[in-house]
Amino acid sequence: MSLFAISDLHLSLALQKPMTKFGKNWNDHHLKIKENWLNNISIHDTILLSGDTSWAMKLKDAFADLNFLHDLPGKKILIRGNHDFWWSSISKLNSLFDDMSFIQNNFVPFNDYAICGSRGWICPGDEFFEESDIAIYEREKLRIELSLKSAIKSDYNKIIFLIHFPPLNDKFERSEFMDLFEKYKVEKVIYGHLHGPFDKNKIYNYKYNNIEYYLTSCDYMNFFPIKIF
């Protein structure tokens, strides 16, 4: 039983919204995802998806994309990204598929680990951080801690955290999100949101204060799921 991660699938099987503006490597990217998934992941594995799963605006339009994932092997654990406008009530989402779990202010168990998660947001000090972002950033701090506390209250002390936005700004300065990860002794943080071209001079997978951080945007990994362990 292995744990994999991939994010930012940006599926649009019902809407046909292309991602080729980010590069020719996005041509028929859902077929690349499917092929690599089938070649690497079994029904016994678990896959973490850190947001931006579907371009759909409403849940009914997201079913083609969710069914695409449902037909692939393994258990899927998802958080919301900034483009997942189809995301509805958490209880409704968690009633849809027996192989898909949606995280919102809670956690999902994986062996002796708790998989926690929240969307996150642009961090202070970032070039694009504005005054209007302060309230959202503060709210996400609360949601992150709610998810972490839910795991601790259930006696989990080994935690993996899914966050959509990078937990630092574009200058690679730490954020209060990282303070929370360290406070609750998170072991691994899985994030996404970033798309190519990627700066060869920047390190996107790193270890900081005993926490391992992984960028899992699918184009960063050439549409291959990364094995966490």
Side-chain angles (χ1 to χ4, degrees):
M1 181 186 295
S2 297
L3 185 69
F4 291 86
I6 190 168
S7 71
D8 297 81
L9 305 186
H10 287 287
L11 299 172
S12 58
L13 299 177
L15 303 176
Q16 297 300 316
K17 185 171 182 176
M19 285 287 289
T20 49
K21 67 178 181 179
F22 290 106
K24 293 181 180 180
N25 57 325
W26 283 93
N27 283 327
D28 293 325
H29 75 283
H30 69 288
L31 298 179
K32 298 177 185 178
I33 292 169
K34 181 177 180 178
E35 180 181 4
N36 294 331
W37 191 304
L38 292 174
N39 288 335
N40 289 276
I41 295 172
S42 77
I43 60 172
H44 305 293
D45 297 327
T46 296
I47 307 90
L48 310 176
L49 296 110
S50 294
D52 282 3
T53 300
S54 170
W55 275 118
M57 299 293 290
K58 298 180 179 179
L59 181 57
K60 64 180 180 65
D61 297 322
F63 271 108
D65 301 329
L66 295 177
N67 279 316
F68 171 83
L69 289 177
H70 174 61
D71 290 338
L72 295 173
K75 179 180 179 181
K76 300 89 182 177
I77 301 175
L78 299 85
I79 62 165
R80 185 177 188 174
N82 59 307
H83 290 298
D84 289 319
F85 296 107
W86 54 271
W87 191 282
S88 62
S89 76
I90 194 65
S91 58
K92 182 173 184 178
L93 289 175
N94 278 317
S95 69
L96 295 177
F97 302 96
D98 58 2
D99 62 338
M100 299 172 70
S101 298
F102 299 81
I103 295 177
Q104 187 170 300
N105 302 338
N106 61 340
F107 76 96
V108 175
F110 172 78
N111 296 340
D112 54 345
Y113 279 85
I115 309 297
C116 297
S118 192
R119 179 185 61 180
W121 199 247
I122 303 171
C123 295
D126 193 280
E127 176 186 357
F128 298 103
F129 190 85
E130 300 177 354
E131 186 175 352
S132 59
D133 293 309
I134 296 175
I136 305 174
Y137 176 78
E138 291 296 325
R139 185 167 65 242
E140 282 300 314
K141 282 166 51 182
L142 295 175
R143 289 176 172 169
I144 287 170
E145 191 155 30
L146 281 172
S147 180
L148 290 166
K149 282 182 175 179
S150 70
I152 298 299
K153 287 179 180 178
S154 296
D155 295 326
Y156 282 88
N157 55 23
K158 300 178 72 173
I159 299 173
I160 295 172
F161 201 93
L162 309 184
I163 186 169
H164 178 64
F165 283 84
L168 32 65
N169 62 28
D170 57 353
K171 302 175 186 65
F172 277 61
E173 297 168 338
R174 61 177 293 123
S175 69
E176 291 174 282
F177 297 157
M178 297 174 73
D179 293 340
L180 288 170
F181 299 151
E182 292 169 17
K183 175 183 177 181
Y184 288 92
K185 296 180 172 57
V186 172
E187 290 189 15
K188 302 175 189 293
V189 175
I190 314 298
Y191 73 99
H193 186 66
L194 302 179
H195 293 297
F198 294 96
D199 190 339
K200 294 181 180 179
N201 296 316
K202 289 184 178 181
I203 300 173
Y204 298 98
N205 295 341
Y206 52 92
K207 188 171 185 177
Y208 185 84
N209 285 351
N210 295 318
I211 301 176
E212 295 177 345
Y213 292 83
Y214 299 86
L215 173 61
T216 61
S217 299
C218 60
D219 55 330
Y220 178 71
M221 302 185 300
N222 200 24
F223 309 97
F224 276 84
I226 183 174
K227 183 182 284 189
I228 303 303
F229 55 71

